Amino acid sequence: MDQKNITPAQSSNAAAATTPGAQRRILVVEDDPTIVDAIAMRLRAEGFQVQTAGDGPAAVDTAEAWQPDLIVLDVMLPGFDGLEVCRRVQAQRPVPVLMLTARDDETDMLVGLGVGADDYMTKPFSMREVAARVHVLLRRVERATLAAHTPRSGILRLGELEIDHSQRRVRVTGEDVHLTPTEFDLLVCLAHSPRAVLSREQLLAEVWDWADASGTRTVDSHIKALRRKIGAERIRTVHGVGYALETPGSASNNSGGSGSSGASASASPAPAGGYSSAAADEY
């Protein structure tokens, strides 16, 4: 996350950041009055400041003027839809987005992730789950803010895949790859144990802070989106178990050995300067 986009509540100190809902601004965008009122009431009860919008243009205007820390965003809206809202808001400034959809369609979910959403929920849902997802996304904001100001060892290279922790930047064959916040966290989690198979439950716990297995489809959808950006061949599916990040030479060396065949993981000093626009939306 670019330092200029860190809110005072995020940058004040780590102790304040651990207080759930403290000074956090949530914009709820939903055209159904019953749903928007229920979400707003629950989030206010959790200690958040909440504003609402009922259509696409109002959502973009409110986001620009109010600078929320997170947006709960319905896909189907008057004016223009939630996907367009997400595109326009992310073009203004990086902000985590929890997208709401009435259709349990994976294509819609992938499109939402592709325009910058961090997570999604399918209707119907409980207000308790909405609040839990909001807390999880904001905890990741806090962790990323602290990480951005903590020196890291440098750049991790796995063949043509390069991960710069300090700048939250990813390159494939020397080209910058734009990843959403969740995609970056997911890739880093896999890269910490290259070739090791991580279960969906492990990934949920590490990346999303979820303790139950109800969100395994969320993992699958984010993996698909990540594959499209870094190359499908770089992430191996182990059916019924989970996923592994492939390294150079691993596909042709399944007989065992040291486990490092052809893998090149090296660290070097991170480049100077701030975040690139392709990586600035880390939370």
Side-chain angles (χ1 to χ4, degrees), residues 197-267:
V197 180
L198 301 182
S199 70
R200 292 172 176 84
E201 292 74 17
Q202 285 177 284
L203 293 170
L204 277 173
E206 291 292 329
V207 178
W208 283 269
D209 287 340
W210 294 357
D212 61 78
S214 63
T216 52
R217 189 173 179 189
T218 296
V219 176
D220 297 339
S221 296
H222 279 82
I223 287 287
K224 286 187 177 182
L226 185 57
R227 278 176 167 151
R228 290 182 178 184
K229 295 180 179 181
I230 69 168
E233 73 283 356
R234 288 189 167 86
I235 301 178
R236 176 168 56 97
T237 300
V238 179
H239 294 289
V241 182
Y243 300 97
L245 183 67
E246 292 294 277
T247 58
S250 60
S252 61
N253 185 18
N254 296 323
S255 60
S258 65
S260 60
S261 59
S264 174
S266 60

Side-chain angles (χ1 to χ4, degrees), residues 153-174:
S153 59
I155 298 173
L156 176 67
R157 293 188 178 90
L158 296 167
E160 295 179 329
L161 175 66
E162 181 181 292
I163 304 172
D164 185 334
H165 289 88
S166 62
Q167 295 195 33
R168 309 292 292 188
R169 200 175 198 171
V170 173
R171 298 182 185 88
V172 175
T173 63

Side-chain angles (χ1 to χ4, degrees), residues 29-48:
V29 185
E30 166 65 64
D31 65 329
D32 185 320
T34 302
I35 296 176
V36 74
D37 288 347
I39 295 175
M41 183 181 299
R42 177 61 191 238
L43 293 177
R44 288 186 179 115
E46 297 279 333
F48 295 108

